[in-house]
Amino acid sequence: MNSQGIELSYVRSTEIDSRFGDQQVSDCLLSMPLQKPSVSKVIIERNEVCGNTTYGMYLFGVTSRLGVVAVRKNLINENMFWGFGSNDCCDPDPVVGVVVEGNVIRGNRCGAIRLRFAGIRSHRITDNVVEKNAVAFNSTELAPSVIEKYESLNTIGKNTKTLHYPHPQGVWHTDCCSCCHSFLGNRKGTHPCHRCYASFYCSKSCFKTHSSRHRRLCELIRSRYSATTAPWPLSETLNELHIFVRTALNREHRRGPAFAPLPQVGGCRFVVKLQTEEEKESIDTPLVVYDQSQTVSTKIVNAQLFDLIFNCGVLGEFHGTSKKVFCWAVLEDIETLRIFFHELAPYTDEW
């Protein structure tokens, strides 16, 4: 696992070597900031760019200074963000400055190819195999006609399209009574264990019968598949937070007390959204956590939750690098929110 793939960026430098001409990078994995403005062509080919915690390859403002950048015949696989990204702004009527052709771009967590504010006509993207990524191309920053053009020029296969969780049941999901193993269907009217929410029972009798055997497993599940944090900023009281939430009501996204019941201390479980911030790749990065009523509004640092989001999450609204999942949680007391991640809560785009 590497922290950075191949990054090309123009950096101003007082040391200019006029002999620094065309460059070719082959058969290696590297991080390469370019500091010489006299470069006229860069070729990156036959590399394995895999397992990076950011982009596989990323261009940032290089063609206007460096000329043509050609990315050919690389395997760009299983990177945390996008396989290939470009933030390359060109003149209003540019020539082709970026050529991406003949690559295999597969299994990247946020998507295959992302062009951020790029001069679309300056990019030629052809003859690539684009498969098993979160999405093939980012759709929010490119016009539909551009997406159709790119898809017709490349081999597209089995990309997720982010309309639902890639793995909707999370780590595990049970639909049988933990005691008598009778089928529970959609679990309505069942009796869950309120400490772990991993065991469900068809009746109070089964619940009581199984309680002694379940106790050990319950503690193990809580320790391995849940995490705790403060449910709101500790400097604010619950009443002050409710006043703040009502004034910050967001009707467009159906968030706020008008759209969902307020979570109760010691009450039933409820759904929280966990979301990463844009361009944050470290497992030490705080994750944003809130519920639909926005009673709970906090952040948490947890490596398992971070990994769950990037493995099972859905891209955020702008199809950038932010991803989200929905998990079950309970308010154990006024200062403790417990988030369970042995299974995912149902996905929704309403809030």
Side-chain angles (χ1 to χ4, degrees):
M1 177 70 72
N2 305 288
S3 62
Q4 178 67 56
I6 296 177
E7 178 176 350
L8 304 184
S9 58
Y10 173 71
V11 181
R12 293 184 181 276
S13 174
T14 56
E15 300 179 3
I16 298 175
D17 183 355
S18 60
R19 296 170 297 174
F20 192 81
D22 295 357
Q23 296 296 303
Q24 181 164 336
V25 183
S26 302
D27 302 314
C28 59
L29 174 64
L30 76 167
S31 174
M32 185 177 65
L34 297 178
Q35 297 181 325
K36 310 299 184 180
S38 57
V39 176
S40 60
K41 188 175 184 180
V42 174
I43 301 174
I44 304 173
E45 64 180 8
R46 297 191 304 277
N47 300 287
E48 294 186 7
V49 187
C50 308
N52 297 288
T53 60
T54 57
Y55 289 83
M57 295 188 184
Y58 191 74
L59 307 184
F60 186 87
V62 297
T63 58
S64 60
R65 296 282 183 173
L66 305 180
V68 175
V69 176
V71 179
R72 298 171 177 158
K73 301 178 181 179
N74 301 281
L75 171 63
I76 307 174
N77 184 53
E78 294 288 344
N79 297 288
M80 188 71 80
F81 287 173
W82 293 75
F84 174 84
S86 176
N87 194 17
D88 217 44
C89 301
C90 297
D91 298 329
D93 189 22
V95 297
V96 172
V98 179
V99 178
V100 182
E101 62 182 10
N103 303 282
V104 176
I105 307 175
R106 177 191 297 134
N108 298 285
R109 306 291 178 78
C110 287
I113 297 175
R114 185 189 187 197
L115 304 184
R116 299 183 58 194
F117 316 111
I120 303 302
R121 288 173 294 173
S122 68
H123 290 68
R124 188 173 73 212
I125 302 174
T126 62
D127 301 320
N128 300 283
V129 176
V130 180
E131 61 183 10
K132 299 181 181 179
N133 302 281
V135 293
F137 299 91
N138 61 313
S139 57
T140 54
E141 294 172 352
L142 301 178
S145 60
V146 175
I147 295 293
E148 293 173 2
K149 171 188 173 184
Y150 284 157
E151 290 188 342
S152 66
L153 296 175
N154 297 271
T155 303
I156 310 297
K158 296 184 179 180
N159 297 286
T160 307
K161 301 294 186 184
T162 66
L163 295 179
H164 50 75
Y165 287 148
H167 308 288
Q169 304 303 345
V171 180
W172 78 64
H173 173 86
T174 179
D175 53 11
C176 294
C177 175
S178 296
C179 181
C180 69
H181 307 295
S182 60
F183 183 64
L184 299 178
N186 59 11
R187 293 182 181 171
K188 285 187 178 180
T190 58
H191 302 268
C193 170
H194 291 285
R195 287 182 57 78
C196 70
Y197 283 96
S199 292
F200 289 77
Y201 302 90
C202 62
S203 65
K204 289 184 179 180
S205 175
C206 278
F207 181 88
K208 291 180 180 179
T209 301
H210 195 251
S211 59
S212 60
R213 285 184 290 164
H214 173 64
R215 190 174 297 117
R216 203 173 210 182
L217 176 62
C218 181
E219 293 304 319
L220 181 63
I221 293 170
R222 278 170 60 88
S223 64
R224 291 191 178 182
Y225 296 109
S226 72
T228 59
T229 185
W232 40 71
L234 295 178
S235 60
E236 298 183 81
T237 66
L238 186 60
N239 288 334
E240 288 172 341
L241 186 67
H242 283 178
I243 293 172
F244 167 77
V245 166
R246 287 187 174 90
T247 59
L249 185 64
N250 186 331
R251 295 189 178 276
E252 181 181 354
H253 287 89
R254 299 183 64 81
R255 290 195 290 258
F259 299 107
L262 305 184
Q264 301 297 314
V265 174
C268 296
R269 67 177 183 170
F270 56 94
V271 178
V272 292
K273 179 193 287 187
L274 291 91
Q275 190 158 359
T276 61
E277 299 180 32
E278 287 287 334
E279 307 291 342
K280 301 294 186 182
E281 76 280 0
S282 170
I283 60 175
D284 298 326
T285 300
L287 306 172
V288 176
V289 184
Y290 62 93
D291 74 308
Q292 188 174 6
S293 73
Q294 292 189 322
T295 303
V296 169
S297 180
T298 187
K299 292 187 177 182
I300 186 172
V301 177
N302 184 278
Q304 288 176 281
L305 284 171
F306 185 89
D307 188 62
L308 177 70
I309 290 176
F310 271 99
N311 278 290
C312 302
V314 173
L315 285 179
E317 183 178 359
F318 299 105
H319 281 192
T321 60
S322 173
K323 299 189 78 172
K324 58 189 176 184
V325 297
F326 295 85
C327 291
W328 294 104
V330 294
L331 276 175
E332 294 189 337
D333 54 55
I334 196 72
E335 295 183 353
T336 308
L337 172 74
R338 182 174 295 274
I339 302 169
F340 299 99
F341 45 89
H342 59 275
E343 69 169 328
L344 299 179
Y347 174 77
T348 176
D349 58 4
E350 289 187 353
W351 58 283

